[in-house]
Amino acid sequence: MIERPRMTREQVRAVDRIAMERYAMPGVILMENAGRACVLAAVRLMGGEAAGRRVGILCGRGNNGGDGLVVARHLSNAGARADVVLLTTVDEALEAGGDAAVNLRIVRHMALPLRQAPTAAEAAEAVGGLLDADLIVDAMLGTGARGEVREPVRSAIEALQGYEGPVLAVDVPSGLDCDTGRPMGACVRARCTVTFVARKVGFDEPGAGAWTGAVEVADIGVPRAVLDEVA
């Protein structure tokens, strides 16, 4: 097994930038690979079978949410009911553009269940409707998040505290600072975190494991030379 370095928020950003600019890797391919890695972990958390299961996917407005939309697509293809909660409006997400918007368009064409929850009250209600799901995927906030968690994500996280099933965090539990390993106010408590490119430095800080759960590092196709250069 190739040993992978631990990285900070800024190092991971540099990896993505170099992969896209110097190696001409489209961001949507990196997003697809990230989402597929999460699907494998999601199926394991459901005992190895997705068909007939209900999964709630909580998606923020950025690329972390785009990863979640990839997860929703592939879990649906595997026979699961993938209920997407989008913590913004569809119009705002599409206007923002980028790779997340690409996957949102696909999800809409697939006619997957999708609920818009741009306000605190709507987010709390939407998450409350998922408390009987077999798995919840946290794709609300990524490694770029800083400072106190704001609405509507905060209310979504608070509503998630009533969920007794497994939570899979995409890249980092929403609300956890990936550099310090400390919660930024409200924070998701995950059973498993699938993190991309490298283990984040904050994951090894005292107490961080209570939020991340088991951590898996996923290879999303970035050339090894990029990791070596940045590390």
Side-chain angles (χ1 to χ4, degrees):
M1 180 181 295
I2 297 175
E3 183 177 352
R4 290 178 173 268
R6 297 189 310 151
M7 288 189 178
T8 65
R9 173 188 292 111
E10 295 306 321
Q11 285 176 310
V12 171
R13 285 180 175 177
V15 166
D16 287 345
R17 185 178 64 253
I18 294 170
M20 288 187 282
E21 293 178 357
R22 195 183 304 167
Y23 288 83
M25 294 191 72
V28 73
I29 290 181
L30 300 178
M31 183 173 286
E32 185 76 9
N33 291 344
R36 291 298 297 270
C38 291
V39 169
L40 295 177
V43 173
R44 288 198 300 271
L45 286 173
M46 293 187 291
E49 182 60 66
R53 303 300 182 92
R54 185 186 185 207
V55 183
I57 301 100
L58 311 181
C59 297
R61 64 177 65 217
N63 282 341
N64 196 255
D67 297 335
L69 293 169
V70 174
V71 174
R73 288 170 37 219
H74 289 287
L75 285 178
S76 177
N77 286 345
R81 176 186 168 96
D83 287 326
V84 176
V85 173
L86 185 65
L87 296 171
T88 183
T89 66
V90 167
D91 287 344
E92 288 180 350
L94 292 177
E95 287 172 7
D99 302 322
V102 171
N103 280 289
L104 178 56
R105 290 189 183 93
I106 298 172
V107 163
R108 295 187 75 199
H109 284 302
M110 291 175 67
L112 299 189
L114 188 153
R115 179 167 179 174
Q116 302 174 76
T119 69
E122 289 169 317
E125 183 181 359
V127 174
L130 295 174
L131 299 184
D132 63 345
D134 296 290
L135 174 73
I136 289 182
V137 177
D138 162 31
M140 294 182 284
L141 298 175
T143 57
R146 300 173 184 261
E148 288 287 313
V149 174
R150 297 186 294 272
E151 298 291 3
V153 175
R154 184 179 187 89
S155 288
I157 293 174
E158 291 172 350
L160 191 56
Q161 294 174 2
Y163 179 62
E164 298 180 353
V167 176
L168 173 66
V170 176
D171 206 14
V172 60
S174 292
L176 189 74
D177 188 299
C178 70
D179 282 354
T180 68
R182 297 174 184 170
M184 299 179 291
C187 187
V188 168
R189 194 179 296 272
R191 176 82 60 85
C192 175
T193 297
V194 177
T195 198
F196 311 132
V197 177
R199 188 179 179 94
K200 309 309 184 284
V201 294
F203 291 177
D204 294 320
E205 292 297 319
W211 305 102
T212 64
V215 176
E216 300 179 14
V217 179
D219 178 359
I220 61 172
V222 174
R224 177 71 197 187
V226 179
L227 274 65
D228 292 339
E229 175 183 342
V230 173

